[in-house]
Amino acid sequence: MVLVEESRFLLEMGKMFAAKKAKGTVWLTIKKHLPPVKKADKDKPVPPQALVRCTDGKRTVGTVVGAKNVVRFQIQFANLMKLNMDNLKKSDKKKSTSAKPAVTAAVKKKGTQKSE
């Protein structure tokens, strides 16, 4: 895996999506990342970070996003995801048959009543 800067990561991720647009898969992984801490620095709090990885099965790129840059990165990441999620398959929604008989039975009862 190659760790790159955030802007470079987004460019590489866009290239992977473009290459796999017709057929293929791109996997994304986001994990909490704790950098190694030296013995002398154990008392200092470590700011939280996230490790973001993207792979298409052949090549993998990743980046580490700090707490200060999360909002900016998240907006750019979401925009890139929205642009490239247009080839998703639509699921077949099956009509439920249990609701129809209850409605038709109620209509039949109203029609069969005798008026006085």
Side-chain angles (χ1 to χ4, degrees):
M1 178 179 73
V2 179
L3 282 176
V4 294
E5 291 185 18
E6 297 166 11
S7 58
R8 180 73 180 163
F9 171 80
L10 293 169
L11 288 172
E12 291 294 323
M13 190 170 96
K15 288 178 184 177
M16 283 186 193
F17 278 127
K20 298 292 181 173
K21 189 146 185 124
K23 186 175 180 181
T25 305
V26 177
W27 292 276
L28 298 166
T29 308
I30 302 173
K31 297 174 103 177
K32 182 179 179 180
H33 176 68
L34 297 172
V37 180
K38 296 179 183 178
K39 291 181 182 179
D41 295 335
K42 284 189 178 182
D43 296 335
K44 297 179 183 177
V46 179
Q49 295 179 338
L51 175 65
V52 184
R53 290 183 287 198
C54 181
T55 183
D56 61 356
K58 294 181 180 178
R59 60 187 174 136
T60 303
V61 294
T63 188
V64 177
V65 182
K68 294 178 182 177
N69 301 330
V70 168
V71 175
R72 183 182 49 80
F73 180 79
Q74 182 181 7
I75 291 169
Q76 293 174 345
F77 184 79
N79 288 336
L80 188 58
M81 293 294 293
K82 287 176 190 175
L83 289 173
N84 292 294
M85 289 186 121
D86 56 353
N87 282 342
L88 295 176
K89 294 180 182 177
K90 293 184 179 180
S91 62
D92 294 332
K93 295 183 180 179
K94 296 181 181 178
K95 296 180 181 177
S96 64
T97 57
S98 62
K100 284 187 177 181
V103 172
T104 56
V107 171
K108 286 181 183 179
K109 285 182 184 177
K110 286 183 180 179
T112 58
Q113 292 179 351
K114 294 181 182 178
S115 60
E116 294 180 29

